[in-house]
């Protein structure tokens, strides 16, 4: 219910930077406070947490959350089980993924065979809202992706999610609670 499509195109690609937009979703969820993308963008730029034309560096992911008093733990090398445990404990989860590997259309781009092509890096931050194992043959990770229209509650096949997440060395932001999942 808190998801919305990114409104502004500050980085020349997908809005104010999905890092800001994903943190916006978590701030609203955990604090009950609604903020505009412009407000969060100004705070991020003013504090050096966002590089215009470049986005939010991984080492700054979570800075907006901390600014609003949300406990945060960031880590690399997380496992899917870590995400599931954090969600079960009521925490919010943001991960960095390669947007090209979690396609929402019938077009599938395999960029792994072509080093140096933009899009292979973890260029998008998404909120993980669940893991659906109801069909054991086709498990999926449920995400809120503020980048594409229709990115709310998007089911990404588990293998695609794991490939996309691996591009950031499984970078994860755990927010809320004790952040000790």
């Amino acid at each position: 219910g808190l998801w919305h499509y990114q409104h502004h195109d500050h980085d020349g690609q997908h809005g104010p930077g999905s890092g800001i937009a994903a943190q916006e979703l978590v701030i609203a969820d955990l604090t009950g406070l609604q903020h505009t993308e412009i407000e969060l963008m100004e705070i991020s730029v003013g504090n050096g947490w966002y590089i215009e034309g470049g986005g939010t560096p991984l080492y700054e992911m979570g800075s907006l959350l901390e600014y609003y008093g949300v406990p945060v733990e960031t880590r690399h090398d997380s496992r899917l089980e870590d995400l599931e445990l954090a969600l079960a404990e009521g925490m919010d989860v943001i991960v960095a993924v390669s947007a090209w590997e979690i396609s929402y259309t019938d077009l599938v781009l395999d960029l792994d065979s072509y080093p140096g092509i933009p899009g292979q890096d973890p260029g998008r931050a998404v909120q993980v809202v669940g893991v659906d194992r109801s069909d054991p043959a086709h498990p999926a990770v449920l995400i809120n992706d503020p980048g594409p229209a229709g990115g709310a509650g998007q089911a990404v096949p588990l293998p695609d999610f794991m490939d996309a997440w691996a591009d950031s060395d499984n970078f994860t932001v755990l927010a809320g609670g004790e952040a000790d999942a």
Side-chain angles (χ1 to χ4, degrees), residues 69-181:
V70 175
V72 170
E73 178 184 335
T74 60
R75 46 170 92 158
H76 287 275
D77 297 323
S78 292
R79 300 169 302 138
L80 184 64
E81 294 79 14
D82 298 330
L83 305 185
E84 291 177 297
L85 179 60
L87 292 168
E89 292 178 355
M91 298 176 75
D92 279 34
V93 176
I94 297 173
V95 298
V97 296
S98 172
W100 294 107
E101 295 186 44
I102 53 173
S103 175
Y104 303 109
T105 68
D106 291 332
L107 173 65
V108 176
L109 300 174
D110 178 10
L111 299 177
D112 291 335
S113 303
Y114 303 94
I117 293 178
Q120 290 175 299
D121 60 345
R124 177 152 318 142
V126 299
Q127 179 186 29
V128 176
V129 295
V131 178
D132 180 0
R133 296 181 184 275
S134 61
D135 179 354
H138 300 98
V141 177
L142 307 175
I143 64 171
N144 282 335
D145 184 348
Q154 195 66 41
V156 178
L158 182 59
D160 294 346
F161 175 83
M162 296 303 290
D163 284 346
W165 189 29
D167 288 345
S168 70
D169 294 325
N170 293 28
F171 180 81
T172 306
V173 175
L174 303 175
E178 297 298 315
D180 63 355

Side-chain angles (χ1 to χ4, degrees), residues 4 7-8 16 20-21 24 27 33-43 64 68:
H4 69 83
H7 299 293
H8 304 285
I20 290 175
E24 177 188 6
I27 291 166
L33 302 173
Q34 299 286 329
H35 297 278
T36 67
E37 289 177 14
I38 293 294
E39 175 187 0
L40 297 177
M41 183 70 155
E42 289 172 355
I43 291 167
L64 268 172
Y68 285 100

